[in-house]
Amino acid sequence: MLTLLFTTPKKMIDSNFKVACSSCNLRELCMPVGLEISDMKKLDEVVATRKQVKQGQLLFGNGDPFTSLYAIRTGFFKTCVSNEDGREQVTGFQMAGEIIGLDGIVTDHHSCNAVALEDAEVCIMPFANVEELSREFPVLQRHVHKIMSREIVRENGMMMMLGNMRAEERLAAFLLNLVQRLHARGFSQSEMILRMTREEIGSYLGLKLETISRTFSKLSEDGIIEVKQRYVKILSPEELRKIYNPQPCQTSV
Amino acid sequence: MLTLLFTTPKKMIDSNFKVACSSCNLRELCMPVGLEISDMKKLDEVVATRKQVKQGQLLFGNGDPFTSLYAIRTGFFKTCVSNEDGREQVTGFQMAGEIIGLDGIVTDHHSCNAVALEDAEVCIMPFANVEELSREFPVLQRHVHKIMSREIVRENGMMMMLGNMRAEERLAAFLLNLVQRLHARGFSQSEMILRMTREEIGSYLGLKLETISRTFSKLSEDGIIEVKQRYVKILSPEELRKIYNPQPCQTSV
DNA sequence: AAAAGTCCTTGATATAAATCAAACAATTAG
DNA sequence: CTAATTGTTTGATTTATATCAAGGACTTTT
């Protein structure tokens, strides 16, 4: 098969090649901004190696010992938790420049699965390095704290979605967030190819896949988006934002 | 009224009294364990002052500049986020020894409200102090990282609850979690007085107050708990755990 | 090119929880 | 001590989403 022919040779995967953050074009996403060149070079030590993860493979799984954070260089991941009786909850979708693995710090073991939704490459940042350099560089320390705080705030927002919002609002918020993050990475601000199935979107948003499908159809019929399988185009961002933030009904004084 | 007579004088509130973590009986909840006495004394510098917060008052609110983390000494808080159209989501309930304010780090402004559900006292830990001492004491640095990671993992669990679980399962999980945390603080492992209304529980669990009330009644009828307003006694922790973690149906091979 | 496997859509029906409503209990204010 | 307010319970009804079901559209395998 074609894919086999183009597979990276085994020895390349999980290689020991050094990656220089200082010359990485995702620098401003992963690393603190406003660093001196000299400091930046020293921070290159955060990253030990890179690792490739094929579509469908686990970067880390529930119960794995925690050793490192991972900065996504290319590709797309989902993280999910599952409980005793096998129910799964997707807790996030992550793309280039985002950091995963923070869940492992508290118990020294990961409590979720990180699965590549497309062939991906990550920078391995041994957490011991992160902590050591954080002590030396206050700007890195602050950066790490912000990344963790951002994740806490994001999850607060998810609780609001899951606890209070209707299916259409959740999907609108999801699409707006996704396209905004893609746009920040140089992609279109209106078009995208989804990397996940309806079922995965549903799991993330606390809905069933049929509801996702129906809600896509509804938004499409209303002329707000165009959907063709994984391809989504936002025709009216304002309408989508209105669905997400419905104005409170005007009541008479 | 009685409460007025016993109110702490105004000058005591938001006082500059130093609090020594090294001699605080909540030490093992807020602070890293296994510290040398000498290091512990230095860590006393983390806490600047204490502050009293009366029932119903805000410790901090959405939009407030972020300056400090707060360690709860006494009392009980809720944190909640709200959106443009006024819907509220309780994101957590916090008790003695727990840290609040982490949401403010990422933007230097808080993104939620922290409200005292009973008269409370907190230790103010200016975040600049926390970061400075973290650079000096790796054990404190690790501790701060764990606290943030724990919050991320807790919220992952909430996403599972809100996305996948039924009303009865959510309430069972809530009661088990609450009583377990109270027990860790020396209270009963079966009885408790709830500090929040049915509506607040509902907001936290993504349910309406009537559903909370009905679910309490159901658990009570089934002999699993005893409920009298805010008083709750867990009669059968095993049954409650079974509801939370229903065994997957045994299917034939 | 056909077959098999995923993934997606749409319709019919079921259901858990929301909503509406009213009475009741507990607490606070006058 | 009584009235007002706030919080809780319970019943009747509605509704948003889940579930069940079947066919269609891609994708991968053979």
Side-chain angles (χ1 to χ4, degrees):
Chain A
M1 282 157 306
L2 215 63
T3 43
L4 256 177
L5 290 174
F6 285 93
T7 297
T8 313
K10 185 75 181 170
K11 62 181 173 186
M12 293 278 290
I13 298 175
D14 208 343
S15 67
N16 281 319
F17 286 154
K18 272 283 181 196
V19 180
C21 297
S22 51
S23 60
C24 175
N25 59 0
L26 290 169
R27 190 175 64 248
E28 56 282 359
L29 289 167
C30 305
M31 284 282 145
V33 292
L35 278 176
E36 302 288 321
I37 302 288
S38 57
D39 285 353
M40 196 72 224
K41 298 268 185 207
K42 288 215 245 168
L43 281 191
D44 281 349
E45 294 166 38
V46 182
V47 173
T49 55
R50 343 178 191 176
K51 179 185 166 88
Q52 301 208 225
V53 189
K54 309 271 332 158
Q55 186 174 121
Q57 280 187 343
L58 275 181
L59 172 59
F60 56 80
N62 183 13
D64 287 355
F66 166 75
T67 60
S68 307
L69 300 179
Y70 303 92
I72 301 173
R73 274 174 63 82
T74 62
F76 201 90
F77 284 84
K78 69 169 178 183
T79 45
C80 44
V81 294
S82 51
N83 70 354
E84 282 70 6
D85 54 318
R87 278 176 285 188
E88 272 216 348
Q89 173 72 35
V90 171
T91 55
F93 295 109
Q94 298 84 14
M95 59 180 73
E98 297 180 333
I99 307 293
I100 49 184
L102 300 167
D103 60 286
I105 300 170
V106 61
T107 58
D108 287 316
H109 288 82
H110 287 287
S111 59
C112 68
N113 296 320
V115 181
L117 296 183
E118 59 180 8
D119 289 1
E121 190 179 27
V122 299
C123 296
I124 302 178
M125 307 187 291
F127 194 57
N129 295 11
V130 174
E131 289 194 322
E132 193 185 328
L133 286 166
S134 280
R135 274 177 253 133
E136 198 177 337
F137 298 101
V139 64
L140 177 64
Q141 178 189 40
R142 172 54 60 102
H143 190 69
V144 170
H145 291 156
K146 287 198 183 220
I147 285 169
M148 299 189 82
S149 177
R150 179 177 303 125
E151 179 65 6
I152 289 168
V153 171
R154 180 188 74 84
E155 295 196 13
N156 282 343
M158 283 307 298
M159 287 176 70
M160 168 63 88
M161 292 248 283
L162 295 169
N164 277 295
M165 313 223 298
R166 291 171 313 101
E168 210 179 17
E169 298 176 292
R170 295 186 206 186
L171 191 60
F174 171 75
L175 292 175
L176 287 168
N177 172 269
L178 206 57
V179 84
Q180 173 251 308
R181 282 154 67 202
L182 288 167
H183 186 51
R185 284 157 182 81
F187 296 100
S188 164
Q189 62 184 310
S190 60
E191 295 177 282
M192 58 192 149
I193 303 288
L194 300 175
R195 253 64 235 210
M196 68 295 277
T197 66
R198 305 290 191 255
E199 187 168 20
E200 286 163 335
I201 299 171
S203 173
Y204 184 56
L205 299 179
L207 300 166
K208 293 298 165 184
L209 70 97
E210 294 94 331
T211 303
I212 300 299
S213 181
R214 280 183 235 276
T215 309
F216 267 129
S217 301
K218 168 73 161 50
L219 292 175
S220 183
E221 283 159 28
D222 294 350
I224 297 170
I225 62 174
E226 189 188 322
V227 194
K228 185 82 195 299
Q229 302 291 125
R230 301 285 181 98
Y231 168 83
V232 178
K233 179 172 191 169
I234 296 175
L235 301 173
S236 173
E238 319 81 53
E239 287 299 313
L240 212 50
R241 251 175 252 117
K242 252 188 252 171
I243 288 171
Y244 175 38
N245 284 152
Q247 293 312 306
C249 302
Q250 201 69 32
T251 51
S252 55
V253 193
Chain B
M1 276 162 309
L2 216 62
T3 43
L4 257 176
L5 290 173
F6 285 94
T7 297
T8 312
K10 183 76 180 168
K11 62 178 174 186
M12 292 277 291
I13 298 176
D14 208 344
S15 67
N16 282 319
F17 286 153
K18 273 282 181 198
V19 181
C21 296
S22 52
S23 61
C24 174
N25 59 1
L26 290 170
R27 191 175 61 248
E28 55 283 358
L29 289 168
C30 305
M31 284 282 144
V33 292
L35 279 176
E36 302 288 320
I37 300 288
S38 56
D39 287 351
M40 198 72 225
K41 298 269 185 206
K42 289 214 243 167
L43 282 190
D44 281 348
E45 295 165 39
V46 182
V47 173
T49 55
R50 342 177 192 177
K51 179 185 167 88
Q52 301 207 225
V53 189
K54 309 272 328 160
Q55 185 173 121
Q57 281 187 341
L58 275 180
L59 172 59
F60 56 80
N62 183 14
D64 287 357
F66 165 75
T67 60
S68 307
L69 300 179
Y70 304 93
I72 302 172
R73 273 174 63 82
T74 62
F76 202 91
F77 285 84
K78 69 169 177 182
T79 46
C80 42
V81 294
S82 51
N83 70 355
E84 281 71 7
D85 55 317
R87 278 176 284 186
E88 272 215 347
Q89 173 72 36
V90 172
T91 55
F93 295 110
Q94 298 85 14
M95 60 179 74
E98 298 179 331
I99 309 293
I100 50 184
L102 300 170
D103 60 286
I105 299 170
V106 62
T107 57
D108 286 315
H109 288 82
H110 287 287
S111 58
C112 69
N113 296 319
V115 181
L117 296 182
E118 59 180 7
D119 289 1
E121 190 179 26
V122 299
C123 297
I124 301 179
M125 307 188 290
F127 194 57
N129 295 11
V130 174
E131 288 195 323
E132 192 186 328
L133 286 166
S134 279
R135 275 177 252 132
E136 197 178 337
F137 299 101
V139 64
L140 177 63
Q141 179 188 40
R142 172 54 59 102
H143 190 69
V144 171
H145 291 155
K146 287 196 185 225
I147 285 168
M148 300 189 80
S149 176
R150 179 178 301 123
E151 180 63 7
I152 289 169
V153 170
R154 181 189 74 84
E155 295 195 13
N156 281 343
M158 284 308 296
M159 288 177 69
M160 169 62 88
M161 290 247 284
L162 295 170
N164 277 295
M165 312 224 299
R166 291 171 313 101
E168 209 179 18
E169 297 175 292
R170 295 186 205 185
L171 191 60
F174 171 74
L175 292 174
L176 286 168
N177 173 268
L178 205 59
V179 84
Q180 174 251 307
R181 282 154 67 202
L182 288 166
H183 186 50
R185 283 155 183 81
F187 296 100
S188 165
Q189 61 184 308
S190 59
E191 293 178 282
M192 59 193 148
I193 303 289
L194 301 176
R195 253 64 236 210
M196 68 295 278
T197 66
R198 304 289 191 257
E199 187 169 20
E200 287 162 334
I201 299 172
S203 172
Y204 184 56
L205 299 180
L207 299 167
K208 294 297 165 185
L209 70 95
E210 294 94 330
T211 303
I212 300 298
S213 182
R214 280 183 235 277
T215 308
F216 267 128
S217 300
K218 167 74 161 53
L219 291 174
S220 183
E221 282 159 28
D222 295 350
I224 297 170
I225 62 174
E226 189 187 323
V227 193
K228 185 80 197 300
Q229 301 291 126
R230 302 285 181 98
Y231 168 84
V232 178
K233 179 171 190 170
I234 295 174
L235 301 172
S236 172
E238 320 82 54
E239 287 299 313
L240 212 49
R241 251 175 252 118
K242 251 189 253 172
I243 289 170
Y244 175 38
N245 285 151
Q247 293 311 306
C249 304
Q250 200 69 34
T251 51
S252 55
V253 194

